[in-house]
Amino acid sequence: MEKIFWAFIVGGLICVIGQIMMDAFKLTPAHTMSTLVVAGAILGGLGLYEPLIKFAGAGATVPICSFGNSLLKGALVELEKNGPIGVLTGIFELTSAGISSAIIFGFLASLIFKPKG
């Protein structure tokens, strides 16, 4: 039960940070999302995101900043295995399922609903 509580608190705080970025700093949702992805990558590079995941579970893995952490983690693993070319291939190693799902479900949703734009 305690794990659920902390997942809710940490996930909620990440969402609050994103909402403050949009309301107070007048950032667009795209800028806010990009900033959170970069923040996740920076925290992952500093070794701070993994302890947050261990502490908060889904509260840290579900928000978009976890995507930045996954990109960095994949790039670093492949960098060690394959050198500099591994950075380019590694960013897709851990995240390809999420990227593919977003594209496929976005396409299916556009067939079912009327997209604007």
Short mmCIF file of all heavy atoms in Angstrom, two decimals, residues 1 8 14 17 31 36 57-58 64 72 80-82 84 91 99 101 113 115:
data_model
loop_
_atom_site.label_atom_id
_atom_site.label_comp_id
_atom_site.label_asym_id
_atom_site.label_seq_id
_atom_site.Cartn_x
_atom_site.Cartn_y
_atom_site.Cartn_z
N MET A 1 0.82 -1.19 0.00
CA MET A 1 0.00 0.00 0.00
C MET A 1 0.87 1.26 0.00
O MET A 1 0.52 2.25 -0.62
CB MET A 1 -0.91 -0.05 1.24
CG MET A 1 -1.96 0.98 1.22
SD MET A 1 -3.12 0.66 -0.10
CE MET A 1 -4.31 1.89 0.20
N PHE A 8 1.69 7.40 -6.51
CA PHE A 8 0.71 8.46 -6.74
C PHE A 8 1.33 9.84 -6.49
O PHE A 8 1.15 10.77 -7.29
CB PHE A 8 -0.50 8.24 -5.82
CG PHE A 8 -1.54 9.31 -5.94
CD1 PHE A 8 -2.41 9.32 -7.01
CD2 PHE A 8 -1.65 10.29 -4.97
CE1 PHE A 8 -3.38 10.31 -7.12
CE2 PHE A 8 -2.61 11.28 -5.07
CZ PHE A 8 -3.47 11.29 -6.15
N ILE A 14 5.25 15.00 -10.82
CA ILE A 14 5.75 15.18 -12.19
C ILE A 14 4.69 15.88 -13.04
O ILE A 14 5.00 16.80 -13.81
CB ILE A 14 6.17 13.82 -12.79
CG1 ILE A 14 7.39 13.27 -12.06
CG2 ILE A 14 6.45 13.97 -14.29
CD1 ILE A 14 7.75 11.85 -12.41
N ILE A 17 4.54 19.55 -12.08
CA ILE A 17 5.66 20.28 -12.69
C ILE A 17 5.34 20.61 -14.15
O ILE A 17 5.53 21.74 -14.61
CB ILE A 17 6.98 19.48 -12.58
CG1 ILE A 17 7.44 19.43 -11.13
CG2 ILE A 17 8.06 20.07 -13.48
CD1 ILE A 17 8.55 18.43 -10.87
N HIS A 31 6.64 21.81 -25.98
CA HIS A 31 7.84 22.25 -25.27
C HIS A 31 7.92 21.61 -23.88
O HIS A 31 9.00 21.23 -23.42
CB HIS A 31 7.85 23.78 -25.12
CG HIS A 31 8.15 24.49 -26.41
ND1 HIS A 31 7.19 25.15 -27.11
CD2 HIS A 31 9.29 24.61 -27.11
CE1 HIS A 31 7.72 25.66 -28.20
NE2 HIS A 31 9.01 25.34 -28.23
N LEU A 36 10.47 17.64 -20.29
CA LEU A 36 10.40 16.52 -19.36
C LEU A 36 11.20 15.32 -19.86
O LEU A 36 11.83 14.61 -19.07
CB LEU A 36 8.94 16.13 -19.11
CG LEU A 36 8.13 17.14 -18.29
CD1 LEU A 36 6.66 16.75 -18.25
CD2 LEU A 36 8.68 17.28 -16.88
N GLY A 57 8.12 3.30 -8.33
CA GLY A 57 7.53 2.34 -9.28
C GLY A 57 6.88 3.03 -10.46
O GLY A 57 7.51 3.83 -11.15
N ALA A 58 5.60 2.72 -10.70
CA ALA A 58 4.89 3.27 -11.86
C ALA A 58 4.77 4.78 -11.80
O ALA A 58 4.59 5.42 -12.83
CB ALA A 58 3.51 2.64 -11.96
N ILE A 64 6.26 10.83 -18.98
CA ILE A 64 7.09 10.96 -20.18
C ILE A 64 8.57 11.10 -19.86
O ILE A 64 9.41 10.74 -20.68
CB ILE A 64 6.58 12.14 -21.04
CG1 ILE A 64 7.21 12.14 -22.44
CG2 ILE A 64 6.85 13.48 -20.35
CD1 ILE A 64 6.71 11.06 -23.32
N LEU A 72 18.31 7.32 -23.00
CA LEU A 72 19.70 7.43 -22.57
C LEU A 72 20.27 6.07 -22.19
O LEU A 72 21.40 5.73 -22.57
CB LEU A 72 19.83 8.40 -21.40
CG LEU A 72 21.25 8.56 -20.90
CD1 LEU A 72 22.03 9.46 -21.84
CD2 LEU A 72 21.28 9.08 -19.50
N GLU A 80 28.61 1.10 -25.31
CA GLU A 80 29.62 0.18 -24.78
C GLU A 80 29.82 -1.03 -25.69
O GLU A 80 30.93 -1.50 -25.87
CB GLU A 80 29.22 -0.29 -23.38
CG GLU A 80 29.40 0.77 -22.31
CD GLU A 80 29.07 0.22 -20.93
OE1 GLU A 80 29.15 -1.00 -20.74
OE2 GLU A 80 28.75 1.04 -20.07
N LYS A 81 28.73 -1.53 -26.28
CA LYS A 81 28.82 -2.72 -27.13
C LYS A 81 29.40 -2.41 -28.51
O LYS A 81 30.25 -3.14 -28.99
CB LYS A 81 27.43 -3.33 -27.33
CG LYS A 81 26.89 -4.06 -26.15
CD LYS A 81 25.55 -4.66 -26.54
CE LYS A 81 24.86 -5.29 -25.36
NZ LYS A 81 23.52 -5.78 -25.72
N ASN A 82 28.89 -1.35 -29.15
CA ASN A 82 29.18 -1.12 -30.57
C ASN A 82 29.90 0.19 -30.86
O ASN A 82 30.05 0.54 -32.04
CB ASN A 82 27.88 -1.16 -31.38
CG ASN A 82 27.16 -2.47 -31.23
OD1 ASN A 82 27.78 -3.52 -31.21
ND2 ASN A 82 25.86 -2.41 -31.10
N PRO A 84 30.47 4.35 -31.11
CA PRO A 84 29.63 5.51 -31.40
C PRO A 84 28.38 5.21 -32.24
O PRO A 84 27.35 5.84 -32.04
CB PRO A 84 30.56 6.45 -32.17
CG PRO A 84 31.93 6.05 -31.72
CD PRO A 84 31.87 4.58 -31.47
N ILE A 91 19.19 4.11 -28.99
CA ILE A 91 18.04 4.89 -28.53
C ILE A 91 16.73 4.22 -28.92
O ILE A 91 15.71 4.46 -28.28
CB ILE A 91 18.09 6.35 -29.03
CG1 ILE A 91 18.08 6.42 -30.55
CG2 ILE A 91 19.27 7.08 -28.45
CD1 ILE A 91 17.99 7.82 -31.11
N ILE A 99 7.30 3.52 -29.24
CA ILE A 99 7.18 4.37 -30.43
C ILE A 99 6.25 3.71 -31.44
O ILE A 99 5.36 4.36 -31.99
CB ILE A 99 8.57 4.62 -31.05
CG1 ILE A 99 9.42 5.47 -30.10
CG2 ILE A 99 8.45 5.31 -32.40
CD1 ILE A 99 10.89 5.56 -30.49
N SER A 101 3.88 1.49 -30.90
CA SER A 101 2.51 1.50 -30.38
C SER A 101 1.86 2.86 -30.57
O SER A 101 0.69 2.94 -30.97
CB SER A 101 2.51 1.15 -28.89
OG SER A 101 2.99 -0.14 -28.70
N PHE A 113 -12.01 8.09 -35.42
CA PHE A 113 -12.49 9.42 -35.09
C PHE A 113 -12.13 10.40 -36.19
O PHE A 113 -11.30 10.11 -37.04
CB PHE A 113 -11.89 9.88 -33.76
CG PHE A 113 -12.18 8.92 -32.63
CD1 PHE A 113 -11.23 8.03 -32.18
CD2 PHE A 113 -13.44 8.90 -32.04
CE1 PHE A 113 -11.49 7.15 -31.16
CE2 PHE A 113 -13.72 8.01 -31.01
CZ PHE A 113 -12.75 7.14 -30.56
N PRO A 115 -10.07 13.27 -37.21
CA PRO A 115 -8.94 14.08 -36.75
C PRO A 115 -9.10 15.53 -37.18
O PRO A 115 -9.65 15.81 -38.24
CB PRO A 115 -7.74 13.43 -37.41
CG PRO A 115 -8.27 12.65 -38.56
CD PRO A 115 -9.70 12.32 -38.24
#
